[in-house]
């Protein structure tokens, strides 16, 4: 039986400075090889001063994500906090209240309320509108020539889409992005800490959400927030906190992740101009390219669970109440599943990546995210010929979101064929 508690001394996954140059794939290659179920001892950066399990192999991540009885997204009676972040969140605030931090059977009932809003039929109805928006966003950036690709292109469509999905007035979308950035960003704080900026943003977002929910309750539309404001589970309406959490979750999940996939994909293509030209020539490659971009960028690198009882993962004993982190980003580079995992291959097939997670909590917005990526890359391939990164890439200082804050680029218009 593997012990896997030896601590590779130089690994600290809670030191966010180790994430400022991008996700540390080489660290995870070592963990998959030497300690695939590794007990991360607490360091000076670790929230709560408490160690946690790091699960890095594809098959172990998959098995734990599927087993919601053994690995809870909410929490357990044997500890006070829970949730899907490494830092414990107080029960009732997010765990047990936020859709992705609930367990069966309530989770399935909760999730069912929103499935219709992101089902293929609902997405087909907005496809044309999203394509028009993407064309406009990309057209404006190409016309200017120089842009911050993250802010001007990658962030815009997901933000417009989520505003529409939730029924948030479009003119407010940049305020929402500012709040989401401030609450998700660890630029000025460490794990488990709030800063003045993040606290103020959370309070403003809460006040905005409450007021909007109030309006939806009084005058419901066909948007997702109206569903949250008016739906019932087992005859009971969602609590005000649950409704509020739907708002916060979707703003965060809907805007932060997709933009990082788009920007990270564009960065990968900037380094591979031949692949860009191939995609421009053969659009049939775009579908597999989007899956490869998702695998390659893995914008959500991990989610946490809490062991509900004594159990084991691939022969390693885990005690009740211990934190278990499932690293999707590491699973996505596991050589046991992906041939040549560290190469970016837009023809990769099969490509069963875990960028959207797996099991009952599989990303609710996966279809929407894929559609957004498709229409943005279609618009880019239609309009952009040559392009280049023109300045330093600023990344997000976080181990929870692998992303980019600023990506200076020059986009040159595609010349019409003569
Ligand atoms: C490239 C973009 C995206 C990535 C990489 C991503 C990633 C993920 C992952 C890994 C999970 C699983 C969490 C867990 O198991 O604990 C998840 C869940 C979720 N995602 Fe996404 N996501 C993306 C886009 C979106 C969008 C656009 C939306 C909504 C508009 C969304 C809404 C959600 C929701 C509501 C859940 C919770 C589902 C549940 O617990 O049943 N995501 N996402």
């Amino acid at each position: 039986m593997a012990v896997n508690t030896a601590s590779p001394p130089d690994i600290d996954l809670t030191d966010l400075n180790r994430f400022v140059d991008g996700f540390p794939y080489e660290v995870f290659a070592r963990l998959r090889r030497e300690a695939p179920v590794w007990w991360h001892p607490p360091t000076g950066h670790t929230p709560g001063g408490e160690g946690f399990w790091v699960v890095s192999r594809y098959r172990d991540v998959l098995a734990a994500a599927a087993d919601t009885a053994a690995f809870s997204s909410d929490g357990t009676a044997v500890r006070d906090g829970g949730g899907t972040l490494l830092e414990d969140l107080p029960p009732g605030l997010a765990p047990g209240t936020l859709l992705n931090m609930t367990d069966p059977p309530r989770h399935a009932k909760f999730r069912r309320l929103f499935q219709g809003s992101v089902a293929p039929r609902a997405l087909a109805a907005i496809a044309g509108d999203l394509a028009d928006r993407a064309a406009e966003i990309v057209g404006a950036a190409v016309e200017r020539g120089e842009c911050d690709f993250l802010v001007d292109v990658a962030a815009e469509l997901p933000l417009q889409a989520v505003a529409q999905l939730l029924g948030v007035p479009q003119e407010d979308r940049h305020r929402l992005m500012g709040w989401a950035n401030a609450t998700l960003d660890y630029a000025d704080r460490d794990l488990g800490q709030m800063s003045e900026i993040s606290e103020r943003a959370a309070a403003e977002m809460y006040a905005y959400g409450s007021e909007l929910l109030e309006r939806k309750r009084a005058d419901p539309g066909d948007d997702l927030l109206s569903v949250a404001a008016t739906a019932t589970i087992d005859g009971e309406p969602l609590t005000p906190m649950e409704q509020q959490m739907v708002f916060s979750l979707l703003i965060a999940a809907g805007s932060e992740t997709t933009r990082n996939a788009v920007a990270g994909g564009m960065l990968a293509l900037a380094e591979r101009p031949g692949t860009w030209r191939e995609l421009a020539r053969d659009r049939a490659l775009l579908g597999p390219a989007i899956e490869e971009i998702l695998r390659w960028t893995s914008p959500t690198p991990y989610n946490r669970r809490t062991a509900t009882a004594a159990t084991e993962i691939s022969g390693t004993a885990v005690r009740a109440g211990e934190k278990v982190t499932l690293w999707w980003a590491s699973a996505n580079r596991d050589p046991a599943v992906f041939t040549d995992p560290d190469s970016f291959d837009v023809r990769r097939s099969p490509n069963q990546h875990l960028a959207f997670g797996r099991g009952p909590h599989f990303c609710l917005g996966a279809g929407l995210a894929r559609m957004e990526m498709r229409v943005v890359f279609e618009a880019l391939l239609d309009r952009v010929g040559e392009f280049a990164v023109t300045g330093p890439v600023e990344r997000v200082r976080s181990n929870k979101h692998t992303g980019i804050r600023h990506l200076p680029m020059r986009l040159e218009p595609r010349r019409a064929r003569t």
Side-chain angles (χ1 to χ4, degrees):
M1 180 175 149
V3 176
N4 292 341
T5 49
S7 35
D10 50 339
I11 297 181
D12 182 354
L13 298 174
T14 59
D15 178 358
L16 301 184
N17 288 333
R18 306 214 180 179
F19 291 78
V20 285
D21 295 324
F23 188 78
Y25 282 107
E26 64 300 338
V27 168
F28 280 89
R30 192 173 146 209
L31 285 174
R32 283 192 305 271
R33 262 193 327 268
E34 295 175 15
V37 184
W38 178 54
W39 178 253
H40 191 307
T43 70
H45 299 283
T46 313
E50 181 186 347
F52 58 97
W53 292 102
V54 175
V55 182
S56 53
R57 275 190 194 161
Y58 187 100
R59 65 157 196 245
D60 295 329
V61 169
L62 196 62
D67 191 350
T68 53
F71 301 104
S72 166
S73 292
D74 178 348
T76 68
V78 299
R79 62 179 303 131
D80 286 340
T84 61
L85 308 184
L86 186 53
E87 54 266 43
D88 264 335
L89 299 171
L93 178 63
T97 310
L98 201 54
L99 169 68
N100 62 322
M101 300 195 195
T102 53
D103 288 335
R106 185 168 175 82
H107 169 257
K109 296 178 187 171
F110 201 169
R111 183 176 165 112
R112 218 172 289 134
L113 299 178
F114 306 112
Q115 252 156 348
S117 310
V118 286
R121 211 151 56 122
L123 294 182
I126 58 167
D129 177 54
L130 286 188
D132 291 346
R133 288 175 188 271
E136 201 168 303
I137 293 164
V138 170
V142 173
E143 204 166 296
R144 279 201 308 281
E146 302 283 334
C147 69
D148 180 342
F149 187 84
L150 188 282
V151 176
D152 300 330
V153 180
E156 259 306 307
L157 187 73
L159 208 52
Q160 292 187 17
V162 84
Q164 199 179 8
L165 190 73
L166 281 170
V168 168
Q170 287 292 347
E171 61 272 21
D172 291 345
R173 68 182 189 275
H174 290 117
R175 285 165 77 198
L176 294 179
M177 175 165 149
W179 294 331
N181 282 353
T183 51
L184 298 174
D185 207 325
Y186 289 89
D188 56 351
R189 59 197 170 116
D190 236 335
L191 287 179
Q193 297 172 349
M194 293 292 276
S195 67
E196 206 182 303
I197 295 174
S198 71
E199 254 170 22
R200 188 168 355 107
E204 286 176 10
M205 192 153 150
Y206 188 92
Y208 180 93
S210 305
E211 204 204 307
L212 193 59
L213 277 159
E214 194 74 51
R215 293 213 301 268
K216 303 283 177 192
R217 241 170 266 131
D219 183 18
D222 56 3
D223 54 81
L224 208 148
L225 214 53
S226 294
V227 174
T230 56
T232 56
I233 297 181
D234 298 334
E236 293 293 323
L238 300 184
T239 64
M241 188 53 114
E242 279 174 330
Q243 297 178 16
Q244 180 73 38
M245 286 290 162
V246 169
F247 173 68
S248 313
L249 171 65
L250 287 167
I251 293 293
S255 66
E256 175 77 29
T257 47
T258 317
R259 75 166 94 138
N260 289 325
V262 170
M266 199 61 175
L267 195 55
L269 290 165
E271 288 155 5
R272 296 164 182 81
T275 308
W276 177 259
R277 285 193 286 274
E278 255 184 290
L279 286 173
R281 268 196 309 274
D282 181 2
R283 293 295 171 89
L285 280 177
L286 190 53
I290 286 170
E291 297 311 309
E292 183 65 346
I293 290 171
L294 286 161
R295 183 189 76 89
W296 186 253
T297 56
S298 291
T300 300
Y302 87 88
N303 284 104
R304 168 196 154 186
R305 303 290 189 257
T306 306
T308 56
T311 184
E312 55 91 29
I313 303 173
S314 275
T316 299
V318 171
R319 285 183 297 194
E322 284 179 337
K323 299 177 179 180
V324 177
T325 52
L326 310 180
W327 292 82
W328 317 113
S330 172
N332 283 343
R333 299 287 178 103
D334 187 340
V337 176
F338 300 99
T339 312
D340 203 1
D342 294 317
S343 76
F344 179 78
D345 176 4
V346 294
R347 290 193 161 77
R348 188 178 291 280
S349 174
N351 190 351
Q352 298 291 324
H353 63 77
L354 302 183
F356 289 123
R358 201 55 88 74
H361 291 283
F362 179 78
C363 178
L364 188 73
L368 176 62
R370 285 184 165 121
M371 180 183 277
E372 290 172 10
M373 289 174 72
R374 172 171 281 279
V375 295
V376 170
F377 278 106
E378 289 274 10
L380 286 163
L381 289 164
D382 283 346
R383 288 169 180 74
V384 179
E386 304 288 313
F387 64 99
V389 177
T390 52
V393 181
E394 194 186 314
R395 293 177 192 272
V396 179
R397 183 177 179 270
S398 168
N399 63 2
K400 188 67 193 64
H401 288 279
T402 302
I404 296 174
R405 276 281 167 262
H406 298 290
L407 177 53
M409 272 199 164
R410 189 177 55 252
L411 305 177
E412 286 173 17
R414 188 176 174 178
R415 264 170 276 151
R417 284 206 202 117
T418 47

